[in-house]
Amino acid sequence: MRALQISDLQPDYRGAALVDLPVPEPAAGEVRVRVRAAAVNFPDLLMTRGEYQLKPDLPFVAGLEFAGEVDALGPGVDDWQVGDAVVGGNRFGAMAEFCTVPAAALRRKPERLDWDEAAAYPVAYLTAYVALVRCAQVAPGETLLVHGAAGGVGLATVDLAMALGVRVIAAAGSAAKRDAVARLYRPDAVIDGGPGFRDRVKELTDGRGADVIFDPVGGDVFDESTRCIAFGGRLLVVGFASGRIPQLSVNMPLIKGFSVVGVRAGEYGRRFPDRGAENLAAIDSLAAAGRINPQVHAALDLADWRKGFTLLERRAVVGKVVLRP
């Protein structure tokens, strides 16, 4: 089978290559899936360089999330049948024609989503759900500022927040991205996410600031976000796409009465399995009902993996990139 294998941790993906590997056999309690689409996420890029918190033993196959069909059942699996359409997440291994995962890691693919859309929604919308519902406990009518709103997770957060009845200010760095966000989801406001955004946020909130700020960017964006958050607000730390991990003087949250909350959706589910299952059921239900609409920027053959990785690294994506093995 074709697979994108990481054999060495190198910059510029020099340790990654498309290789031919044996089709894996499912062990007890596992299912083999014929992968139809695998999404590209920032952790995939970071793991090629050893810069992500998860560091699998080398060599490993890249890929966190996928959609496909059940191809074979390991011993003891009786809740799936060959041919079932599924979505799933694995900590790696999805960017291949076949992958094996624990049976419990699979969910039924929402019928209204095609393979590409189904691969694109689990990680992004789970992150958005844990951030908004579990961590921020956002309420209808509150104002949410979403940074990086054109990216995979940011765009999912805009979409989910609107389904939850939240007032959304979407921030993106280019006019083309802002136009795309406005066209796709029609948030309450779309603003330039560059320096000075705090003034626009204050203007849009009558000086109060945003009740919740979703920040996957870090760096200067985080610093300025502390200047436009409402008293009692929640500043969600989702990632550091800017490359700089910011520091905060704690007198700021003391004086302004806001909380800084870290978001790790996968770890949340591992720590609280029952709530984790509820989170997954919630986003699956929203997808099945058509209340959320994942956006696929590009669907590429697995052989074009480098193009997909580069699109993501250059911030040239509105939504998600998926690879078709």
Side-chain angles (χ1 to χ4, degrees):
M1 68 172 188
R2 295 191 307 167
L4 180 60
Q5 186 180 71
I6 314 303
S7 58
D8 196 12
L9 304 179
Q10 294 283 345
D12 195 32
Y13 319 127
R14 289 197 297 269
L18 196 64
V19 300
D20 189 34
L21 297 176
V23 174
E25 291 297 327
E30 289 187 337
V31 172
R32 184 170 71 211
V33 176
R34 170 65 173 97
V35 179
R36 297 298 182 182
V40 182
N41 293 279
F42 265 105
D44 296 317
L45 278 60
L46 297 175
M47 286 168 68
T48 68
R49 304 189 289 266
E51 295 175 359
Y52 192 57
Q53 53 260 38
L54 174 64
K55 296 176 172 59
D57 293 336
L58 295 170
F60 65 92
V61 174
L64 299 177
E65 61 180 336
F66 59 85
E69 297 160 314
V70 172
D71 181 72
L73 306 175
V77 176
D78 55 13
D79 47 353
W80 294 105
Q81 295 183 355
V82 172
D84 283 344
V86 294
V87 296
N90 211 15
R91 305 186 84 182
F92 50 90
M95 293 179 183
E97 291 183 274
F98 296 91
C99 69
T100 56
V101 296
L106 297 176
R107 291 122 60 202
R108 297 196 181 277
K109 180 181 81 68
E111 289 186 8
R112 62 174 296 274
L113 301 184
D114 63 25
W115 292 120
D116 298 334
E117 293 167 336
Y121 91 94
V123 168
Y125 281 87
L126 178 62
T127 300
Y129 188 88
V130 170
L132 298 184
V133 176
R134 296 297 190 179
C135 295
Q137 299 180 352
V138 69
E142 286 194 303
T143 298
L144 166 71
L145 170 63
V146 180
H147 290 296
V153 175
L155 201 60
T157 303
V158 171
D159 189 19
L160 176 62
M162 296 188 66
L164 296 174
V166 177
R167 181 172 182 251
V168 177
I169 302 172
S174 72
K177 289 182 177 181
R178 292 191 292 274
D179 289 345
V181 174
R183 172 176 49 82
L184 289 168
Y185 296 118
R186 300 185 179 181
D188 298 88
V190 181
I191 67 172
D192 188 339
F197 66 80
R198 65 178 180 177
D199 296 330
R200 184 68 177 126
V201 173
K202 287 289 192 71
E203 178 185 345
L204 290 166
T205 58
D206 296 324
R208 286 187 65 254
D211 298 296
V212 179
I213 299 179
F214 182 93
D215 178 20
V217 181
D220 294 344
V221 164
F222 177 92
D223 295 342
E224 191 167 339
S225 292
T226 66
R227 307 289 181 176
C228 62
I229 190 165
F231 191 90
R234 290 83 81 201
L235 205 171
L236 302 171
V237 179
V238 185
F240 311 105
S242 69
R244 179 171 74 84
I245 299 176
Q247 295 182 334
L248 177 66
S249 297
V250 295
N251 64 313
M252 286 288 291
L254 171 64
I255 293 169
K256 300 194 68 176
F258 69 86
S259 303
V260 178
V261 186
V263 178
R264 289 187 64 195
E267 186 64 20
Y268 186 97
R270 288 186 286 273
R271 299 271 181 162
F272 309 109
D274 290 344
R275 279 179 266 173
E278 292 172 0
N279 298 340
L280 293 171
I283 63 169
D284 289 348
S285 177
L286 289 165
R291 295 184 59 200
I292 56 174
N293 298 281
Q295 173 66 22
V296 176
H297 179 90
L300 307 172
D301 188 89
L302 182 60
D304 295 323
W305 65 269
R306 183 176 287 275
K307 178 181 178 181
F309 279 34
T310 301
L311 282 171
L312 198 61
E313 187 150 48
R314 292 179 179 174
R315 314 292 194 269
V317 173
V318 177
K320 297 291 284 285
V321 172
V322 300
L323 301 176
R324 296 170 175 170

